[in-house]
Amino acid sequence: MATRTDTTSTTGTLTGGGAPIVGGHRGDGPGPEVMDAATLKGDSVVNSSGDDLGTIEAIMLDVTSGRIAYAVLSFGGFLGMGSKLFAIPWSALALDASEKRFILDVPKERLENAPGFDKDHWPSMADTTWATQVHSYYNVRPYWDDELGSSRSSDPRTTTGYDENR
């Protein structure tokens, strides 16, 4: 498994530390580059071999940076009972827009041995020690180390071509 760097999606969008997009196409309306997070809850997650790894239970935002920190993956159990939850760094996932699912490039056995938690005992996701370990486990650079929007200007609040004297 290689460490992720900036990549270009199939739609030509520089993804930076975000999830790359495979398949799908641009059409009318939002997506696949900008989507309602609620539409992603319940999406399946598979590995590159096509093994079922579970479903997306939640998408966790880092409110202070305005970035997606993790997807919470539910794996195992039966009818949602006894399933284990995993914080998956957003940059470790790829969106398969044509199949409406995510791809996590890890063998099923590696996920089974990953640090996880249960629905009643969530970790402190703001704890940098914990967060660094999670990103390291999935071999991706922590999102807080990535430049925000590498395709934007240095200040993400500015708009290219905006004339403030208008």
Side-chain angles (χ1 to χ4, degrees):
M1 196 166 40
T3 302
R4 287 275 318 275
T5 58
D6 287 349
T7 58
T8 303
S9 73
T10 57
T11 58
T13 303
L14 186 64
T15 61
I21 301 167
V22 297
H25 58 62
R26 263 190 186 185
D28 293 336
E33 290 88 358
V34 176
M35 298 180 73
D36 180 341
T39 65
L40 303 175
K41 185 176 178 185
D43 279 5
S44 66
V45 179
V46 298
N47 62 19
S48 55
S49 299
D51 297 326
D52 178 24
L53 299 180
T55 59
I56 300 294
E57 288 295 314
I59 296 175
M60 306 303 290
L61 303 176
D62 178 329
V63 176
T64 59
S65 73
R67 300 174 114 186
I68 298 173
Y70 306 97
V72 176
L73 175 68
S74 174
F75 174 72
F78 180 70
L79 299 175
M81 302 297 290
S83 59
K84 189 173 178 183
L85 300 175
F86 300 91
I88 307 296
W90 190 247
S91 61
L93 295 165
L95 174 64
D96 182 346
S98 60
E99 296 294 324
K100 296 185 167 95
R101 65 184 183 183
F102 284 92
I103 300 168
L104 175 61
D105 195 18
V106 297
K108 198 172 205 173
E109 299 76 33
R110 182 147 175 86
L111 181 62
E112 290 170 344
N113 295 315
F117 53 99
D118 68 62
K119 66 181 178 96
D120 296 323
H121 300 96
W122 285 53
S124 173
M125 293 184 171
D127 174 13
T128 55
T129 301
W130 174 86
T132 300
Q133 290 170 346
V134 169
H135 282 78
S136 177
Y137 189 85
Y138 293 100
N139 201 28
V140 293
R141 186 168 53 181
Y143 68 92
W144 59 88
D145 284 349
D146 287 335
E147 289 183 33
L148 180 61
S150 56
S151 61
R152 295 184 184 171
S153 66
S154 61
D155 183 350
R157 295 170 294 178
T158 62
T159 304
T160 303
Y162 175 73
D163 181 0
E164 61 184 46
N165 295 321
R166 276 212 257 181

